[in-house]
Amino acid sequence: MMVRDQVAARIARALAAAQADGALPAFEAPEIVIDRPRQLEHGDFSTNVALRATKLARMAPLAIAEILAAQLPAEGPIGAVAVAPPGFLNIHLSEAWLAAQTDAIRAAGAGYADVETGAGQRVQVEFVSANPTGPLHFGGARNAAIGDTLARALEAAGYQVEREYYLNDAGTQIGIFGATLHARYCQLLGREVEVPEGAYPGAYMEDYAARILQAEGERFLDLAPEAAAPEMARLGIALVVDYLRELLATIDVRFDRWYSERSLYDSGLAERVFADLKARGLTEEREGATWLKTSDFGSDRDEVLIRSSGQPGYYASDVVYHYDKFVNRGFDQVIDVWAVDHQNQARRMPFLMQALGLDPARLSIVLYDLVKLVKLEPDEAGGAPVKREIKMSKRAGTFVALEDLLEDLEPDAVRFLMLARSNEQAIELDLDLAREQSNENPVYYVQYGHARIASILRLAVERGFGDYEAGDVGRLVHPLELALLREILRLPEVIEQVIAFRAPHHLPHYAQGLARCFHAFYHDCQVLDAEAPELSRARLKLVDASRIALARVLDLMGMSAPERM
């Protein structure tokens, strides 16, 4: 149980005990909300339960708080309780209890900070899902980092998680992709063929065409473009998926399923869903099209399911795909990670969910803002170097691809920096800072913390302190030792916060805070002291507990925990 929840449980028992002995009248206990005061001198935790109970008890909140404080003995995690006007209870953790958590953290090992919030619920996280028509834009790394980190946090909280990539392999853009490939294929065989209007630029299209030629020979050469393009698109998409699978694996992102949009229609599922909506009176024929009556659920407009041309409307695939997620596959919750330019689509999704008879609260749309790459470049006028945005890749033609970014940065740095800000904030990724091996670089600072810990533990063996299991953690009384333990014990709460708010940026912020606490402790508290061997053994246990916590948060972010740097 999280420390916060242990404190809440003891306050609940105190309230029940006060009612049982008549100090408080009988009433239904209000929710016990536990907060963290901004200043440690006000306690580790604080609650306003006395203020919330005022009307129920018909007593002054300060009097209620005094009664509850008297029912809270200094035992377990609770060290001291203070009452503050107008009725707050400020809880200070027991220092002896804090020190004892060193052994509990080490006993938990790699599973430290696991919580059971999810209780086995099935959650699907669908993310990246870029059009399968070529190199992945470097901004897709933010989508990947957010989605995969959310999935890792959910797993740590006891959810059953499935990761999915939705392949937009139907529609106009796929037709243009196939036609472009066919034109490049014919050009490789000496035919003077014009690329279609709106063709995909970039050298990668010639590469895909060459690979198709090598695998399939000349069988498409004499086919009409409209006959060849669909098969060329299918072969090209297979190449792109292989590329995406390999590329995303380099930043430790893998998917349980690659889901084809085309399968929604080829399987007949779309037809069945549309028929069901019609049978329930939720569609209407007008202007030659079929409309979904989302205005029945509060939307300012209806949405086109089937256009007058017979082609699916803009939201048709969303309707069918989410029906499959919730109804056919039975996910309890679904999280979709989309770029901010899909915000209008995100606003429409609750109405589509209601039309399907589903609770909109089961679907979370995580929107993230854009990423800008900058680095110092020579000033054309001969002055000091100027920080400029990088916009184009030679291979992709119109944008910087993720593989370009990975030529400059390590995968760990990419993941950390893509998580470093809240989803709603844009990111300016400074390549020069990201490569710098100094404390100014947050990636280096955090990973160096783990490497320093590993170095201390190696040195302990060399100096004869390798056997520290008998160390007495009761000796951990220094304020910086206790501050470090307090920070380590926050990790389960941070995981819960990431899940509750779909906000993975809390993890890199926590990692930096934990690294700061460790560096401060190590600076002021001599760990390996031949003149104080018992204290050294206790501190080595704390160092090891720090290793466990820092490795865990790095793993949650999909990053390695280096032993040396």
Side-chain angles (χ1 to χ4, degrees):
M1 187 184 294
M2 282 182 275
V3 182
R4 179 201 64 202
D5 295 341
Q6 292 182 52
V7 170
R10 287 176 181 270
I11 293 170
R13 289 202 296 272
L15 197 156
Q19 290 178 319
D21 66 16
L24 288 176
F27 57 85
E28 186 176 348
E31 180 186 4
I32 297 173
V33 178
I34 304 293
D35 295 310
R36 286 184 174 272
R38 291 183 180 275
Q39 296 174 307
L40 186 59
E41 55 264 32
H42 295 160
D44 293 281
F45 296 101
S46 180
T47 180
N48 65 353
V49 66
L51 294 163
R52 297 166 71 89
T54 297
K55 290 183 179 178
L56 299 168
R58 297 184 179 181
M59 294 174 63
L62 205 58
I64 297 172
E66 293 284 3
I67 290 167
L68 291 176
Q71 294 282 354
L72 284 167
E75 63 180 19
I78 295 178
V81 181
V83 174
F88 289 99
L89 280 175
N90 292 334
I91 313 294
H92 296 261
L93 291 174
S94 159
E95 293 187 356
W97 180 89
L98 265 174
Q101 299 316 296
T102 307
D103 285 332
I105 293 160
R106 295 182 66 237
Y112 171 67
D114 280 356
V115 293
E116 290 303 320
T117 311
Q121 290 185 69
R122 295 183 65 231
V123 182
Q124 185 217 55
V125 185
E126 182 248 305
F127 59 111
V128 185
S129 300
N131 287 343
T133 53
L136 182 63
H137 185 273
F138 76 86
R142 188 174 195 188
N143 190 317
I146 290 171
D148 189 60
T149 302
L150 284 174
R152 289 167 185 257
L154 287 160
E155 287 169 335
Y159 291 87
Q160 294 182 51
V161 181
E162 293 188 33
R163 297 160 170 82
E164 186 155 291
Y165 189 117
Y166 178 66
L167 289 164
N168 302 91
D169 57 355
T172 303
Q173 290 304 309
I174 295 300
I176 295 172
F177 176 65
T180 306
L181 272 177
H182 184 242
R184 295 301 187 197
Y185 169 92
C186 292
Q187 290 171 353
L188 288 172
L189 289 168
R191 294 281 177 88
E192 292 187 7
V193 177
E194 293 293 324
V195 293
E197 186 177 351
Y200 282 86
Y204 71 92
M205 291 300 288
E206 295 177 15
D207 175 50
Y208 292 161
R211 291 168 67 182
I212 291 172
L213 174 59
Q214 183 179 17
E216 303 292 331
E218 299 183 11
R219 67 186 184 92
F220 297 108
L221 183 60
D222 294 322
L223 288 180
E226 59 274 15
E231 179 67 6
M232 295 291 286
R234 184 187 67 81
L235 293 168
I237 288 168
L239 291 173
V240 174
V241 169
D242 286 343
Y243 146 82
L244 289 169
R245 200 188 309 271
E246 184 177 339
L247 175 67
L248 290 167
T250 64
I251 56 171
D252 204 14
V253 172
R254 293 168 179 82
F255 293 92
D256 300 300
R257 184 168 182 176
W258 297 72
Y259 193 103
S260 162
E261 179 184 4
R262 182 176 294 278
S263 71
L264 299 172
Y265 301 94
D266 292 348
S267 67
L269 178 61
E271 188 177 349
R272 293 193 297 274
V273 172
F274 297 160
D276 177 65
L277 291 168
K278 181 178 181 180
R280 292 193 290 124
L282 293 173
T283 63
E284 183 175 278
E285 304 294 326
R286 64 175 186 265
E287 302 170 14
T290 301
W291 297 74
L292 181 63
K293 296 195 289 183
T294 45
S295 58
D296 289 359
F297 303 99
S299 176
D300 60 351
R301 70 184 194 198
D302 294 334
E303 304 295 350
V304 176
L305 271 184
I306 305 172
R307 295 185 174 99
S308 56
S309 64
Q311 295 299 308
Y314 185 78
Y315 291 104
S317 292
D318 283 321
V319 170
V320 183
Y321 183 39
H322 286 83
Y323 177 93
D324 186 57
K325 293 185 184 196
F326 287 104
V327 179
N328 286 353
R329 292 191 274 165
F331 290 109
D332 297 300
Q333 297 180 47
V334 168
I335 300 171
D336 294 339
V337 183
W338 296 349
V340 69
D341 56 1
H342 288 274
Q343 57 189 314
N344 186 59
Q345 186 178 356
R347 283 195 292 268
R348 301 291 169 191
M349 289 306 298
F351 306 119
L352 302 183
M353 289 283 287
Q354 290 177 80
L356 290 170
L358 299 168
D359 180 359
R362 293 170 64 190
L363 173 66
S364 301
I365 308 291
V366 176
L367 296 174
Y368 65 92
D369 212 329
L370 304 179
V371 184
K372 181 191 294 186
L373 281 184
V374 297
K375 71 173 182 178
L376 288 174
E377 293 188 341
D379 180 24
E380 295 173 358
V386 179
K387 191 178 289 187
R388 290 197 177 94
E389 182 179 0
I390 306 165
K391 293 187 176 182
M392 192 171 293
S393 157
K394 291 180 180 178
R395 182 167 182 265
T398 57
F399 59 83
V400 178
L402 175 55
E403 57 259 51
D404 297 321
L405 181 59
L406 289 169
E407 288 179 3
D408 267 309
L409 299 181
E410 292 295 320
D412 284 349
V414 170
R415 286 196 63 138
F416 187 98
L417 295 169
M418 291 298 183
L419 295 172
R421 291 183 175 273
S422 68
N423 304 331
E424 298 81 10
Q425 290 183 291
I427 290 176
E428 184 174 274
L429 201 164
D430 186 330
L431 289 175
D432 299 296
L433 176 61
R435 286 192 295 261
E436 192 173 301
Q437 293 197 357
S438 76
N439 289 343
E440 298 301 312
N441 177 355
V443 185
Y444 178 86
Y445 183 74
V446 170
Q447 288 190 312
Y448 175 68
H450 189 275
R452 169 179 263 186
I453 289 170
S455 174
I456 294 166
L457 294 175
R458 286 193 302 271
L459 191 59
V461 174
E462 293 174 13
R463 294 189 180 178
F465 288 101
D467 182 14
Y468 50 85
E469 286 302 324
D472 176 11
V473 296
R475 295 175 179 273
L476 300 174
V477 296
H478 192 285
L480 290 176
E481 293 167 343
L482 299 176
L484 178 54
L485 279 163
R486 284 185 171 93
E487 191 67 10
I488 292 172
L489 291 171
R490 273 205 324 116
L491 181 53
E493 291 178 43
V494 173
I495 292 172
E496 190 178 69
Q497 194 175 22
V498 167
I499 293 167
F501 298 101
R502 310 305 196 219
H505 71 280
H506 291 297
L507 287 169
H509 291 182
Y510 170 80
Q512 291 174 82
L514 179 57
R516 274 195 300 273
C517 280
F518 180 80
H519 292 313
F521 151 75
Y522 186 67
H523 182 270
D524 281 19
C525 299
Q526 186 175 350
V527 173
L528 302 177
D529 185 354
E531 297 181 4
E534 293 306 315
L535 179 58
S536 293
R537 289 185 176 91
R539 285 178 171 172
L540 280 167
K541 280 190 168 183
L542 179 54
V543 170
D544 191 44
S546 303
R547 174 191 61 80
I548 289 167
L550 196 49
R552 187 70 201 276
V553 70
L554 285 166
D555 182 67
L556 287 166
M557 293 187 289
M559 298 171 60
S560 63
E563 298 284 320
R564 289 179 169 83
M565 287 182 69

